[in-house]
Amino acid sequence: MGTRSRNHVTVSGRAGGPVVMLAHGFGCDQHLWRLVVPLLERDFTVVVFDHVGAGQSDLSAWSPERYATLDGYTDDVLAICREPALGPVTFVGHSVSAMMGVLAAAREPDAFAGLVLLAPSPCFIDDPATGYRGGFSAEDVDELLESLDANYLGWSGAMAPVIMGNPERPELGEELTNSFCRTDPDIARVFARVTFLSDNREDLAKVTVPTLVAQCSVDAIAPPEVGAFVQSRIPGSRLGTLDGTGHCPQLAAPEETAAAITDFVRAVH
């Protein structure tokens, strides 16, 4: 099976322009980039895709063995980057996809012009021994995963608004809830463990390409300390704080998100 059909890869925008690849997070698909894509298409070639198990990807390509760690997803990202005529891409990874970008760029830096890590977290679990604050205790994460296992649809309805933030705009939380609920529960359970139990703190120092860490001013899932930690561990990276709040600025603040991406891509090109 070809990479494009497996991951439902879509290419649009300015032919011959710098290539921007947008990668979605847990429980989402490429549709959540829909407000950002038109703002980028004027200047760049824009690549969006669905992780296997999400959206319109080929569900038959998913297996709990291949996707039990971020490595399977990283392999897919690199396969898309190797598509003919793409050339070095600026990879924009949202949430858990930010760490896929970190792993991919560490393995094949020549495939990347740069990384934009949007609301990243290398480890969601606090580590009192080192003073690292990821935002969740180990007990918090255990409870979260147990709740997801017991009642995925109920968990989605409760957690999506918390992840989205922006309670004054309930339609955003509803959209994320609906996105979660479209995901196969068995796939979601595996991906949730990958998302919330991975620890990629040691991988950050392996990144050698230009990197922007873009965090929101308020984010219940990846608090500001996490963004500062990521920036401090990636050599030469810079930190940008968006005025937008919540964990999904591509929905809550698409113009600001697109502007941050645009400024970075122009700088690296």
Side-chain angles (χ1 to χ4, degrees):
M1 177 185 303
T3 300
R4 291 203 175 200
S5 57
R6 182 193 65 204
N7 289 95
H8 188 54
V9 177
T10 304
V11 181
S12 63
R14 183 163 74 84
V19 181
V20 178
M21 180 187 295
L22 306 174
H24 66 83
F26 168 82
C28 303
D29 57 34
Q30 62 182 260
H31 185 66
L32 266 71
W33 290 108
R34 71 186 184 282
L35 302 179
V36 170
V37 168
L39 303 175
L40 299 177
E41 287 176 328
R42 297 172 294 201
D43 299 306
F44 311 122
T45 297
V46 181
V47 179
V48 292
F49 67 98
D50 295 329
H51 291 306
V52 172
Q56 297 184 56
S57 67
D58 184 355
L59 297 185
S60 70
W62 185 86
S63 73
E65 295 79 23
R66 175 176 172 83
Y67 295 103
T69 71
L70 289 180
D71 290 336
Y73 295 99
T74 300
D75 290 342
D76 291 349
V77 167
L78 289 171
I80 297 168
C81 289
R82 296 186 197 108
E83 284 284 303
L86 280 188
V89 308
T90 297
F91 179 88
V92 183
H94 172 237
S95 192
V96 66
S97 283
M99 293 305 110
M100 298 173 197
V102 164
L103 294 173
R107 278 165 50 180
E108 296 188 21
D110 290 345
F112 298 90
L115 297 178
V116 178
L117 309 180
L118 185 63
S121 177
C123 180
F124 284 95
I125 300 175
D126 299 338
D127 183 358
T130 64
Y132 173 80
R133 180 171 181 266
F136 296 83
S137 68
E139 293 76 17
D140 289 336
V141 170
D142 286 344
E143 183 177 330
L144 181 152
L145 294 175
E146 288 172 5
S147 174
L148 185 152
D149 286 343
N151 181 359
Y152 177 64
L153 295 181
W155 179 89
S156 298
M159 279 299 297
V162 175
I163 293 169
M164 178 59 70
N166 296 276
E168 75 285 358
R169 299 166 66 188
E171 70 278 6
L172 297 179
E174 290 170 9
E175 176 165 351
L176 191 60
T177 299
N178 292 336
S179 179
F180 282 8
C181 292
R182 287 195 300 270
T183 304
D184 181 285
D186 291 332
I187 292 174
R189 290 183 183 103
V190 175
F191 197 12
R193 279 168 170 73
V194 174
T195 298
F196 290 104
L197 297 178
S198 293
D199 185 349
N200 298 104
R201 288 176 289 172
E202 297 301 317
D203 296 302
L204 299 173
K206 302 172 186 176
V207 175
T208 59
V209 303
T211 301
L212 170 65
V213 180
Q215 63 181 15
C216 289
S217 57
V218 178
D219 184 343
I221 304 301
E225 303 97 298
V226 175
F229 177 89
V230 172
Q231 187 278 322
S232 72
R233 295 303 194 273
I234 298 180
S237 64
R238 67 181 184 87
L239 178 65
T241 300
L242 306 176
D243 291 332
T245 61
H247 193 59
C248 299
Q250 69 269 54
L251 279 181
E255 294 85 1
E256 186 182 20
T257 302
I261 295 169
T262 296
D263 290 347
F264 177 77
V265 176
R266 287 175 175 165
V268 300
H269 284 275

